[in-house]
PDB file of all heavy atoms in Angstrom:
ATOM      1  N   ASN K  46     106.657 123.166  94.264  1.00 94.00           N
ATOM      2  CA  ASN K  46     106.622 124.105  95.381  1.00 94.00           C
ATOM      3  C   ASN K  46     106.517 123.271  96.658  1.00 94.00           C
ATOM      4  O   ASN K  46     105.433 122.801  97.014  1.00 94.00           O
ATOM      5  CB  ASN K  46     105.429 125.050  95.240  1.00 94.00           C
ATOM      6  CG  ASN K  46     105.383 126.091  96.345  1.00 94.00           C
ATOM      7  OD1 ASN K  46     105.895 125.887  97.445  1.00 94.00           O
ATOM      8  ND2 ASN K  46     104.750 127.221  96.073  1.00 94.00           N
ATOM      9  N   LEU K  47     107.643 123.067  97.338  1.00 95.00           N
ATOM     10  CA  LEU K  47     107.651 122.163  98.484  1.00 95.00           C
ATOM     11  C   LEU K  47     106.808 122.686  99.644  1.00 95.00           C
ATOM     12  O   LEU K  47     106.251 121.892 100.407  1.00 95.00           O
ATOM     13  CB  LEU K  47     109.086 121.898  98.944  1.00 95.00           C
ATOM     14  CG  LEU K  47     109.947 121.072  97.981  1.00 95.00           C
ATOM     15  CD1 LEU K  47     111.274 120.720  98.632  1.00 95.00           C
ATOM     16  CD2 LEU K  47     109.219 119.802  97.529  1.00 95.00           C
ATOM     17  N   ARG K  48     106.698 123.994  99.780  1.00 93.00           N
ATOM     18  CA  ARG K  48     105.838 124.530 100.846  1.00 93.00           C
ATOM     19  C   ARG K  48     104.382 124.127 100.590  1.00 93.00           C
ATOM     20  O   ARG K  48     103.642 123.798 101.530  1.00 93.00           O
ATOM     21  CB  ARG K  48     105.979 126.048 100.929  1.00 93.00           C
ATOM     22  CG  ARG K  48     107.345 126.501 101.470  1.00 93.00           C
ATOM     23  CD  ARG K  48     107.343 127.984 101.765  1.00 93.00           C
ATOM     24  NE  ARG K  48     108.618 128.419 102.299  1.00 93.00           N
ATOM     25  CZ  ARG K  48     108.952 128.344 103.586  1.00 93.00           C
ATOM     26  NH1 ARG K  48     108.098 127.809 104.457  1.00 93.00           N
ATOM     27  NH2 ARG K  48     110.125 128.781 104.004  1.00 93.00           N
ATOM     28  N   HIS K  49     103.983 124.156  99.334  1.00 94.00           N
ATOM     29  CA  HIS K  49     102.625 123.723  98.988  1.00 94.00           C
ATOM     30  C   HIS K  49     102.476 122.223  99.217  1.00 94.00           C
ATOM     31  O   HIS K  49     101.429 121.758  99.710  1.00 94.00           O
ATOM     32  CB  HIS K  49     102.319 124.074  97.535  1.00 94.00           C
ATOM     33  CG  HIS K  49     100.939 123.699  97.095  1.00 94.00           C
ATOM     34  ND1 HIS K  49      99.802 124.166  97.707  1.00 94.00           N
ATOM     35  CD2 HIS K  49     100.515 122.879  96.089  1.00 94.00           C
ATOM     36  CE1 HIS K  49      98.727 123.672  97.124  1.00 94.00           C
ATOM     37  NE2 HIS K  49      99.133 122.884  96.138  1.00 94.00           N
ATOM     38  N   GLU K  50     103.510 121.454  98.878  1.00 95.00           N
ATOM     39  CA  GLU K  50     103.475 120.009  99.096  1.00 95.00           C
ATOM     40  C   GLU K  50     103.393 119.681 100.588  1.00 95.00           C
ATOM     41  O   GLU K  50     102.760 118.694 100.984  1.00 95.00           O
ATOM     42  CB  GLU K  50     104.712 119.350  98.479  1.00 95.00           C
ATOM     43  CG  GLU K  50     104.777 119.431  96.961  1.00 95.00           C
ATOM     44  CD  GLU K  50     103.601 118.753  96.281  1.00 95.00           C
ATOM     45  OE1 GLU K  50     103.310 117.590  96.633  1.00 95.00           O
ATOM     46  OE2 GLU K  50     102.967 119.390  95.429  1.00 95.00           O
ATOM     47  N   ILE K  51     104.019 120.509 101.423  1.00 95.00           N
ATOM     48  CA  ILE K  51     103.923 120.323 102.883  1.00 95.00           C
ATOM     49  C   ILE K  51     102.476 120.515 103.332  1.00 95.00           C
ATOM     50  O   ILE K  51     101.943 119.734 104.135  1.00 95.00           O
ATOM     51  CB  ILE K  51     104.864 121.311 103.609  1.00 95.00           C
ATOM     52  CG1 ILE K  51     106.329 120.928 103.358  1.00 95.00           C
ATOM     53  CG2 ILE K  51     104.575 121.329 105.114  1.00 95.00           C
ATOM     54  CD1 ILE K  51     107.318 121.992 103.794  1.00 95.00           C
ATOM     55  N   GLU K  52     101.824 121.550 102.814  1.00 94.00           N
ATOM     56  CA  GLU K  52     100.429 121.820 103.162  1.00 94.00           C
ATOM     57  C   GLU K  52      99.519 120.670 102.740  1.00 94.00           C
ATOM     58  O   GLU K  52      98.537 120.356 103.428  1.00 94.00           O
ATOM     59  CB  GLU K  52      99.958 123.120 102.505  1.00 94.00           C
ATOM     60  CG  GLU K  52     100.632 124.369 103.056  1.00 94.00           C
ATOM     61  CD  GLU K  52     100.240 125.614 102.276  1.00 94.00           C
ATOM     62  OE1 GLU K  52      99.420 125.483 101.335  1.00 94.00           O
ATOM     63  OE2 GLU K  52     100.739 126.706 102.615  1.00 94.00           O
ATOM     64  N   LEU K  53      99.851 120.024 101.635  1.00 94.00           N
ATOM     65  CA  LEU K  53      99.054 118.900 101.146  1.00 94.00           C
ATOM     66  C   LEU K  53      99.376 117.603 101.870  1.00 94.00           C
ATOM     67  O   LEU K  53      98.690 116.590 101.671  1.00 94.00           O
ATOM     68  CB  LEU K  53      99.290 118.705  99.638  1.00 94.00           C
ATOM     69  CG  LEU K  53      98.841 119.841  98.714  1.00 94.00           C
ATOM     70  CD1 LEU K  53      99.242 119.535  97.279  1.00 94.00           C
ATOM     71  CD2 LEU K  53      97.334 120.051  98.814  1.00 94.00           C
ATOM     72  N   GLY K  54     100.425 117.617 102.701  1.00 95.00           N
ATOM     73  CA  GLY K  54     100.821 116.410 103.425  1.00 95.00           C
ATOM     74  C   GLY K  54     101.690 115.476 102.621  1.00 95.00           C
ATOM     75  O   GLY K  54     101.880 114.308 103.000  1.00 95.00           O
ATOM     76  N   ASN K  55     102.253 115.972 101.522  1.00 95.00           N
ATOM     77  CA  ASN K  55     103.075 115.127 100.645  1.00 95.00           C
ATOM     78  C   ASN K  55     104.569 115.230 100.942  1.00 95.00           C
ATOM     79  O   ASN K  55     105.349 114.425 100.418  1.00 95.00           O
ATOM     80  CB  ASN K  55     102.846 115.503  99.179  1.00 95.00           C
ATOM     81  CG  ASN K  55     101.422 115.261  98.738  1.00 95.00           C
ATOM     82  OD1 ASN K  55     100.745 114.367  99.256  1.00 95.00           O
ATOM     83  ND2 ASN K  55     100.941 116.056  97.794  1.00 95.00           N
ATOM     84  N   PHE K  56     104.950 116.230 101.733  1.00 96.00           N
ATOM     85  CA  PHE K  56     106.376 116.415 102.013  1.00 96.00           C
ATOM     86  C   PHE K  56     106.560 116.807 103.466  1.00 96.00           C
ATOM     87  O   PHE K  56     105.790 117.588 104.019  1.00 96.00           O
ATOM     88  CB  PHE K  56     106.987 117.485 101.097  1.00 96.00           C
ATOM     89  CG  PHE K  56     108.471 117.365 100.939  1.00 96.00           C
ATOM     90  CD1 PHE K  56     109.015 116.480 100.036  1.00 96.00           C
ATOM     91  CD2 PHE K  56     109.333 118.130 101.726  1.00 96.00           C
ATOM     92  CE1 PHE K  56     110.395 116.355  99.902  1.00 96.00           C
ATOM     93  CE2 PHE K  56     110.698 118.009 101.590  1.00 96.00           C
ATOM     94  CZ  PHE K  56     111.230 117.117 100.679  1.00 96.00           C
ATOM     95  N   ARG K  57     107.600 116.258 104.084  1.00 96.00           N
ATOM     96  CA  ARG K  57     107.875 116.520 105.497  1.00 96.00           C
ATOM     97  C   ARG K  57     108.466 117.921 105.683  1.00 96.00           C
ATOM     98  O   ARG K  57     109.458 118.269 105.024  1.00 96.00           O
ATOM     99  CB  ARG K  57     108.844 115.486 106.055  1.00 96.00           C
ATOM    100  CG  ARG K  57     108.309 114.066 106.080  1.00 96.00           C
ATOM    101  CD  ARG K  57     109.354 113.143 106.650  1.00 96.00           C
ATOM    102  NE  ARG K  57     109.676 113.506 108.025  1.00 96.00           N
ATOM    103  CZ  ARG K  57     109.356 112.760 109.088  1.00 96.00           C
ATOM    104  NH1 ARG K  57     108.695 111.627 108.936  1.00 96.00           N
ATOM    105  NH2 ARG K  57     109.706 113.153 110.310  1.00 96.00           N
ATOM    106  N   GLU K  58     107.881 118.677 106.587  1.00 96.00           N
ATOM    107  CA  GLU K  58     108.366 120.031 106.831  1.00 96.00           C
ATOM    108  C   GLU K  58     109.755 120.016 107.440  1.00 96.00           C
ATOM    109  O   GLU K  58     110.606 120.850 107.105  1.00 96.00           O
ATOM    110  CB  GLU K  58     107.397 120.781 107.749  1.00 96.00           C
ATOM    111  CG  GLU K  58     107.773 122.246 107.941  1.00 96.00           C
ATOM    112  CD  GLU K  58     106.719 123.024 108.701  1.00 96.00           C
ATOM    113  OE1 GLU K  58     105.779 122.401 109.237  1.00 96.00           O
ATOM    114  OE2 GLU K  58     106.840 124.273 108.754  1.00 96.00           O
ATOM    115  N   ASP K  59     110.016 119.036 108.354  1.00 96.00           N
ATOM    116  CA  ASP K  59     111.339 118.976 108.988  1.00 96.00           C
ATOM    117  C   ASP K  59     112.428 118.647 107.971  1.00 96.00           C
ATOM    118  O   ASP K  59     113.543 119.182 108.037  1.00 96.00           O
ATOM    119  CB  ASP K  59     111.360 117.983 110.148  1.00 96.00           C
ATOM    120  CG  ASP K  59     110.678 116.653 109.824  1.00 96.00           C
ATOM    121  OD1 ASP K  59     110.305 116.432 108.657  1.00 96.00           O
ATOM    122  OD2 ASP K  59     110.524 115.837 110.750  1.00 96.00           O
ATOM    123  N   LEU K  60     112.102 117.824 106.976  1.00 96.00           N
ATOM    124  CA  LEU K  60     113.078 117.533 105.928  1.00 96.00           C
ATOM    125  C   LEU K  60     113.312 118.761 105.062  1.00 96.00           C
ATOM    126  O   LEU K  60     114.450 119.053 104.669  1.00 96.00           O
ATOM    127  CB  LEU K  60     112.609 116.358 105.065  1.00 96.00           C
ATOM    128  CG  LEU K  60     113.514 115.994 103.877  1.00 96.00           C
ATOM    129  CD1 LEU K  60     114.929 115.672 104.338  1.00 96.00           C
ATOM    130  CD2 LEU K  60     112.928 114.825 103.091  1.00 96.00           C
ATOM    131  N   TYR K  61     112.243 119.486 104.778  1.00 97.00           N
ATOM    132  CA  TYR K  61     112.380 120.717 103.976  1.00 97.00           C
ATOM    133  C   TYR K  61     113.369 121.678 104.636  1.00 97.00           C
ATOM    134  O   TYR K  61     114.248 122.239 103.958  1.00 97.00           O
ATOM    135  CB  TYR K  61     111.023 121.392 103.810  1.00 97.00           C
ATOM    136  CG  TYR K  61     111.111 122.768 103.178  1.00 97.00           C
ATOM    137  CD1 TYR K  61     111.331 122.907 101.813  1.00 97.00           C
ATOM    138  CD2 TYR K  61     111.021 123.912 103.963  1.00 97.00           C
ATOM    139  CE1 TYR K  61     111.438 124.167 101.234  1.00 97.00           C
ATOM    140  CE2 TYR K  61     111.116 125.172 103.389  1.00 97.00           C
ATOM    141  CZ  TYR K  61     111.327 125.293 102.034  1.00 97.00           C
ATOM    142  OH  TYR K  61     111.452 126.541 101.466  1.00 97.00           O
ATOM    143  N   HIS K  62     113.232 121.867 105.940  1.00 96.00           N
ATOM    144  CA  HIS K  62     114.127 122.800 106.630  1.00 96.00           C
ATOM    145  C   HIS K  62     115.563 122.287 106.645  1.00 96.00           C
ATOM    146  O   HIS K  62     116.509 123.083 106.599  1.00 96.00           O
ATOM    147  CB  HIS K  62     113.624 123.042 108.053  1.00 96.00           C
ATOM    148  CG  HIS K  62     112.337 123.821 108.106  1.00 96.00           C
ATOM    149  ND1 HIS K  62     112.189 125.052 107.498  1.00 96.00           N
ATOM    150  CD2 HIS K  62     111.126 123.527 108.659  1.00 96.00           C
ATOM    151  CE1 HIS K  62     110.958 125.498 107.684  1.00 96.00           C
ATOM    152  NE2 HIS K  62     110.297 124.591 108.381  1.00 96.00           N
ATOM    153  N   ARG K  63     115.732 120.965 106.698  1.00 96.00           N
ATOM    154  CA  ARG K  63     117.083 120.392 106.645  1.00 96.00           C
ATOM    155  C   ARG K  63     117.728 120.589 105.281  1.00 96.00           C
ATOM    156  O   ARG K  63     118.926 120.825 105.168  1.00 96.00           O
ATOM    157  CB  ARG K  63     117.018 118.893 106.959  1.00 96.00           C
ATOM    158  CG  ARG K  63     116.958 118.575 108.426  1.00 96.00           C
ATOM    159  CD  ARG K  63     118.320 118.728 109.065  1.00 96.00           C
ATOM    160  NE  ARG K  63     118.270 118.534 110.511  1.00 96.00           N
ATOM    161  CZ  ARG K  63     119.338 118.582 111.292  1.00 96.00           C
ATOM    162  NH1 ARG K  63     120.528 118.832 110.766  1.00 96.00           N
ATOM    163  NH2 ARG K  63     119.228 118.410 112.586  1.00 96.00           N
ATOM    164  N   LEU K  64     116.919 120.496 104.241  1.00 96.00           N
ATOM    165  CA  LEU K  64     117.447 120.597 102.877  1.00 96.00           C
ATOM    166  C   LEU K  64     117.711 122.034 102.459  1.00 96.00           C
ATOM    167  O   LEU K  64     118.638 122.310 101.696  1.00 96.00           O
ATOM    168  CB  LEU K  64     116.460 119.968 101.884  1.00 96.00           C
ATOM    169  CG  LEU K  64     116.268 118.462 101.940  1.00 96.00           C
ATOM    170  CD1 LEU K  64     115.117 118.052 101.036  1.00 96.00           C
ATOM    171  CD2 LEU K  64     117.544 117.733 101.541  1.00 96.00           C
ATOM    172  N   SER K  65     116.896 122.958 102.944  1.00 95.00           N
ATOM    173  CA  SER K  65     116.926 124.333 102.428  1.00 95.00           C
ATOM    174  C   SER K  65     117.840 125.262 103.230  1.00 95.00           C
ATOM    175  O   SER K  65     117.549 126.438 103.371  1.00 95.00           O
ATOM    176  CB  SER K  65     115.506 124.907 102.394  1.00 95.00           C
ATOM    177  OG  SER K  65     114.926 124.906 103.691  1.00 95.00           O
ATOM    178  N   VAL K  66     118.950 124.713 103.721  1.00 96.00           N
ATOM    179  CA  VAL K  66     119.940 125.566 104.389  1.00 96.00           C
ATOM    180  C   VAL K  66     120.444 126.617 103.402  1.00 96.00           C
ATOM    181  O   VAL K  66     120.548 127.804 103.716  1.00 96.00           O
ATOM    182  CB  VAL K  66     121.114 124.713 104.929  1.00 96.00           C
ATOM    183  CG1 VAL K  66     122.200 125.612 105.528  1.00 96.00           C
ATOM    184  CG2 VAL K  66     120.609 123.717 105.970  1.00 96.00           C
ATOM    185  N   ILE K  67     120.746 126.165 102.187  1.00 97.00           N
ATOM    186  CA  ILE K  67     121.075 127.079 101.086  1.00 97.00           C
ATOM    187  C   ILE K  67     120.102 126.767  99.950  1.00 97.00           C
ATOM    188  O   ILE K  67     119.943 125.601  99.569  1.00 97.00           O
ATOM    189  CB  ILE K  67     122.523 126.891 100.601  1.00 97.00           C
ATOM    190  CG1 ILE K  67     123.525 127.187 101.722  1.00 97.00           C
ATOM    191  CG2 ILE K  67     122.816 127.777  99.393  1.00 97.00           C
ATOM    192  CD1 ILE K  67     124.963 126.875 101.365  1.00 97.00           C
ATOM    193  N   VAL K  68     119.447 127.778  99.428  1.00 97.00           N
ATOM    194  CA  VAL K  68     118.499 127.595  98.327  1.00 97.00           C
ATOM    195  C   VAL K  68     119.031 128.312  97.089  1.00 97.00           C
ATOM    196  O   VAL K  68     119.387 129.490  97.146  1.00 97.00           O
ATOM    197  CB  VAL K  68     117.097 128.136  98.685  1.00 97.00           C
ATOM    198  CG1 VAL K  68     116.147 127.969  97.497  1.00 97.00           C
ATOM    199  CG2 VAL K  68     116.541 127.416  99.916  1.00 97.00           C
ATOM    200  N   VAL K  69     119.094 127.598  95.991  1.00 97.00           N
ATOM    201  CA  VAL K  69     119.509 128.178  94.711  1.00 97.00           C
ATOM    202  C   VAL K  69     118.335 128.031  93.742  1.00 97.00           C
ATOM    203  O   VAL K  69     117.915 126.910  93.441  1.00 97.00           O
ATOM    204  CB  VAL K  69     120.750 127.474  94.130  1.00 97.00           C
ATOM    205  CG1 VAL K  69     121.153 128.114  92.801  1.00 97.00           C
ATOM    206  CG2 VAL K  69     121.906 127.511  95.112  1.00 97.00           C
ATOM    207  N   ARG K  70     117.809 129.148  93.282  1.00 96.00           N
ATOM    208  CA  ARG K  70     116.714 129.110  92.311  1.00 96.00           C
ATOM    209  C   ARG K  70     117.287 129.291  90.908  1.00 96.00           C
ATOM    210  O   ARG K  70     117.960 130.277  90.627  1.00 96.00           O
ATOM    211  CB  ARG K  70     115.687 130.210  92.597  1.00 96.00           C
ATOM    212  CG  ARG K  70     114.541 130.201  91.587  1.00 96.00           C
ATOM    213  CD  ARG K  70     113.604 131.378  91.783  1.00 96.00           C
ATOM    214  NE  ARG K  70     112.648 131.449  90.683  1.00 96.00           N
ATOM    215  CZ  ARG K  70     112.870 132.054  89.528  1.00 96.00           C
ATOM    216  NH1 ARG K  70     114.033 132.672  89.309  1.00 96.00           N
ATOM    217  NH2 ARG K  70     111.952 132.066  88.574  1.00 96.00           N
ATOM    218  N   VAL K  71     116.999 128.327  90.044  1.00 97.00           N
ATOM    219  CA  VAL K  71     117.480 128.387  88.660  1.00 97.00           C
ATOM    220  C   VAL K  71     116.399 129.046  87.803  1.00 97.00           C
ATOM    221  O   VAL K  71     115.255 128.592  87.786  1.00 97.00           O
ATOM    222  CB  VAL K  71     117.799 126.980  88.120  1.00 97.00           C
ATOM    223  CG1 VAL K  71     118.427 127.077  86.729  1.00 97.00           C
ATOM    224  CG2 VAL K  71     118.743 126.253  89.066  1.00 97.00           C
ATOM    225  N   PRO K  72     116.718 130.121  87.091  1.00 95.00           N
ATOM    226  CA  PRO K  72     115.701 130.850  86.320  1.00 95.00           C
ATOM    227  C   PRO K  72     115.232 130.071  85.100  1.00 95.00           C
ATOM    228  O   PRO K  72     115.940 129.213  84.574  1.00 95.00           O
ATOM    229  CB  PRO K  72     116.433 132.130  85.905  1.00 95.00           C
ATOM    230  CG  PRO K  72     117.869 131.719  85.837  1.00 95.00           C
ATOM    231  CD  PRO K  72     118.061 130.729  86.955  1.00 95.00           C
ATOM    232  N   THR K  73     114.044 130.408  84.645  1.00 95.00           N
ATOM    233  CA  THR K  73     113.546 129.848  83.391  1.00 95.00           C
ATOM    234  C   THR K  73     114.317 130.472  82.228  1.00 95.00           C
ATOM    235  O   THR K  73     114.955 131.518  82.381  1.00 95.00           O
ATOM    236  CB  THR K  73     112.049 130.161  83.216  1.00 95.00           C
ATOM    237  OG1 THR K  73     111.890 131.591  83.128  1.00 95.00           O
ATOM    238  CG2 THR K  73     111.235 129.630  84.383  1.00 95.00           C
ATOM    239  N   LEU K  74     114.228 129.841  81.069  1.00 95.00           N
ATOM    240  CA  LEU K  74     114.903 130.396  79.897  1.00 95.00           C
ATOM    241  C   LEU K  74     114.275 131.728  79.506  1.00 95.00           C
ATOM    242  O   LEU K  74     114.970 132.633  79.034  1.00 95.00           O
ATOM    243  CB  LEU K  74     114.833 129.407  78.730  1.00 95.00           C
ATOM    244  CG  LEU K  74     115.590 129.803  77.461  1.00 95.00           C
ATOM    245  CD1 LEU K  74     117.052 130.102  77.755  1.00 95.00           C
ATOM    246  CD2 LEU K  74     115.472 128.718  76.405  1.00 95.00           C
ATOM    247  N   LYS K  75     112.982 131.878  79.739  1.00 90.00           N
ATOM    248  CA  LYS K  75     112.304 133.134  79.424  1.00 90.00           C
ATOM    249  C   LYS K  75     112.881 134.273  80.258  1.00 90.00           C
ATOM    250  O   LYS K  75     112.981 135.412  79.792  1.00 90.00           O
ATOM    251  CB  LYS K  75     110.804 132.994  79.680  1.00 90.00           C
ATOM    252  CG  LYS K  75     109.990 134.212  79.271  1.00 90.00           C
ATOM    253  CD  LYS K  75     108.514 133.988  79.512  1.00 90.00           C
ATOM    254  CE  LYS K  75     107.709 135.215  79.154  1.00 90.00           C
ATOM    255  NZ  LYS K  75     106.259 135.018  79.393  1.00 90.00           N
ATOM    256  N   GLU K  76     113.275 133.983  81.496  1.00 92.00           N
ATOM    257  CA  GLU K  76     113.844 135.001  82.374  1.00 92.00           C
ATOM    258  C   GLU K  76     115.257 135.387  81.961  1.00 92.00           C
ATOM    259  O   GLU K  76     115.761 136.426  82.383  1.00 92.00           O
ATOM    260  CB  GLU K  76     113.854 134.499  83.819  1.00 92.00           C
ATOM    261  CG  GLU K  76     112.486 134.358  84.446  1.00 92.00           C
ATOM    262  CD  GLU K  76     112.563 133.755  85.831  1.00 92.00           C
ATOM    263  OE1 GLU K  76     112.598 132.515  85.942  1.00 92.00           O
ATOM    264  OE2 GLU K  76     112.605 134.525  86.815  1.00 92.00           O
ATOM    265  N   ARG K  77     115.906 134.541  81.190  1.00 93.00           N
ATOM    266  CA  ARG K  77     117.269 134.833  80.748  1.00 93.00           C
ATOM    267  C   ARG K  77     117.365 134.736  79.225  1.00 93.00           C
ATOM    268  O   ARG K  77     118.318 134.190  78.660  1.00 93.00           O
ATOM    269  CB  ARG K  77     118.256 133.873  81.414  1.00 93.00           C
ATOM    270  CG  ARG K  77     117.838 132.409  81.388  1.00 93.00           C
ATOM    271  CD  ARG K  77     118.839 131.479  82.001  1.00 93.00           C
ATOM    272  NE  ARG K  77     120.117 131.524  81.361  1.00 93.00           N
ATOM    273  CZ  ARG K  77     120.960 130.486  81.273  1.00 93.00           C
ATOM    274  NH1 ARG K  77     120.642 129.331  81.784  1.00 93.00           N
ATOM    275  NH2 ARG K  77     122.121 130.617  80.678  1.00 93.00           N
ATOM    276  N   ALA K  78     116.354 135.308  78.548  1.00 91.00           N
ATOM    277  CA  ALA K  78     116.269 135.211  77.090  1.00 91.00           C
ATOM    278  C   ALA K  78     117.493 135.794  76.391  1.00 91.00           C
ATOM    279  O   ALA K  78     117.844 135.371  75.290  1.00 91.00           O
ATOM    280  CB  ALA K  78     115.002 135.905  76.594  1.00 91.00           C
ATOM    281  N   GLU K  79     118.162 136.750  77.028  1.00 92.00           N
ATOM    282  CA  GLU K  79     119.343 137.345  76.400  1.00 92.00           C
ATOM    283  C   GLU K  79     120.494 136.352  76.265  1.00 92.00           C
ATOM    284  O   GLU K  79     121.463 136.602  75.533  1.00 92.00           O
ATOM    285  CB  GLU K  79     119.801 138.568  77.196  1.00 92.00           C
ATOM    286  CG  GLU K  79     120.261 138.270  78.608  1.00 92.00           C
ATOM    287  CD  GLU K  79     120.227 139.497  79.497  1.00 92.00           C
ATOM    288  OE1 GLU K  79     121.243 140.201  79.548  1.00 92.00           O
ATOM    289  OE2 GLU K  79     119.195 139.727  80.141  1.00 92.00           O
ATOM    290  N   ASP K  80     120.391 135.209  76.952  1.00 94.00           N
ATOM    291  CA  ASP K  80     121.431 134.173  76.843  1.00 94.00           C
ATOM    292  C   ASP K  80     121.175 133.205  75.697  1.00 94.00           C
ATOM    293  O   ASP K  80     122.021 132.350  75.417  1.00 94.00           O
ATOM    294  CB  ASP K  80     121.515 133.371  78.153  1.00 94.00           C
ATOM    295  CG  ASP K  80     122.012 134.207  79.323  1.00 94.00           C
ATOM    296  OD1 ASP K  80     122.740 135.185  79.069  1.00 94.00           O
ATOM    297  OD2 ASP K  80     121.678 133.883  80.472  1.00 94.00           O
ATOM    298  N   ILE K  81     120.018 133.309  75.045  1.00 94.00           N
ATOM    299  CA  ILE K  81     119.670 132.358  73.984  1.00 94.00           C
ATOM    300  C   ILE K  81     120.701 132.338  72.850  1.00 94.00           C
ATOM    301  O   ILE K  81     121.067 131.257  72.375  1.00 94.00           O
ATOM    302  CB  ILE K  81     118.241 132.635  73.452  1.00 94.00           C
ATOM    303  CG1 ILE K  81     117.221 132.216  74.514  1.00 94.00           C
ATOM    304  CG2 ILE K  81     117.984 131.893  72.135  1.00 94.00           C
ATOM    305  CD1 ILE K  81     115.783 132.529  74.151  1.00 94.00           C
ATOM    306  N   PRO K  82     121.224 133.496  72.374  1.00 94.00           N
ATOM    307  CA  PRO K  82     122.237 133.427  71.310  1.00 94.00           C
ATOM    308  C   PRO K  82     123.478 132.618  71.703  1.00 94.00           C
ATOM    309  O   PRO K  82     123.951 131.781  70.923  1.00 94.00           O
ATOM    310  CB  PRO K  82     122.591 134.904  71.076  1.00 94.00           C
ATOM    311  CG  PRO K  82     121.340 135.633  71.457  1.00 94.00           C
ATOM    312  CD  PRO K  82     120.795 134.882  72.631  1.00 94.00           C
ATOM    313  N   ALA K  83     123.997 132.845  72.911  1.00 94.00           N
ATOM    314  CA  ALA K  83     125.184 132.107  73.353  1.00 94.00           C
ATOM    315  C   ALA K  83     124.883 130.617  73.508  1.00 94.00           C
ATOM    316  O   ALA K  83     125.684 129.757  73.110  1.00 94.00           O
ATOM    317  CB  ALA K  83     125.696 132.675  74.679  1.00 94.00           C
ATOM    318  N   LEU K  84     123.726 130.292  74.083  1.00 96.00           N
ATOM    319  CA  LEU K  84     123.340 128.893  74.251  1.00 96.00           C
ATOM    320  C   LEU K  84     123.145 128.217  72.898  1.00 96.00           C
ATOM    321  O   LEU K  84     123.570 127.073  72.692  1.00 96.00           O
ATOM    322  CB  LEU K  84     122.046 128.805  75.062  1.00 96.00           C
ATOM    323  CG  LEU K  84     122.167 129.141  76.551  1.00 96.00           C
ATOM    324  CD1 LEU K  84     120.789 129.396  77.152  1.00 96.00           C
ATOM    325  CD2 LEU K  84     122.873 128.028  77.303  1.00 96.00           C
ATOM    326  N   THR K  85     122.528 128.932  71.952  1.00 96.00           N
ATOM    327  CA  THR K  85     122.290 128.363  70.631  1.00 96.00           C
ATOM    328  C   THR K  85     123.603 128.060  69.919  1.00 96.00           C
ATOM    329  O   THR K  85     123.787 126.968  69.347  1.00 96.00           O
ATOM    330  CB  THR K  85     121.439 129.334  69.777  1.00 96.00           C
ATOM    331  OG1 THR K  85     120.184 129.552  70.431  1.00 96.00           O
ATOM    332  CG2 THR K  85     121.192 128.766  68.393  1.00 96.00           C
TER     333      THR K  85
END
């Protein structure tokens, strides 16, 4: 969680804003369990 890392002083906020122009969140396998048969 980069926002949390920013609060801890571990990540630059200005870099975060430069990187997150487009954000793509990849779901966990649990969130897409219906895909397990095809993946298997």
Side-chain angles (χ1 to χ4, degrees):
N46 183 334
L47 291 188
R48 290 190 179 275
H49 181 58
E50 294 300 310
I51 291 168
E52 292 174 2
L53 296 176
N55 297 331
F56 202 82
R57 295 180 62 111
E58 185 173 9
D59 45 7
L60 177 57
Y61 171 76
H62 291 305
R63 278 283 175 178
L64 292 172
S65 59
V66 176
I67 299 174
V68 178
V69 180
R70 179 186 171 274
V71 186
T73 63
L74 185 55
K75 185 178 178 180
E76 291 175 275
R77 47 178 301 211
E79 64 201 270
D80 294 333
I81 289 176
L84 288 164
T85 300

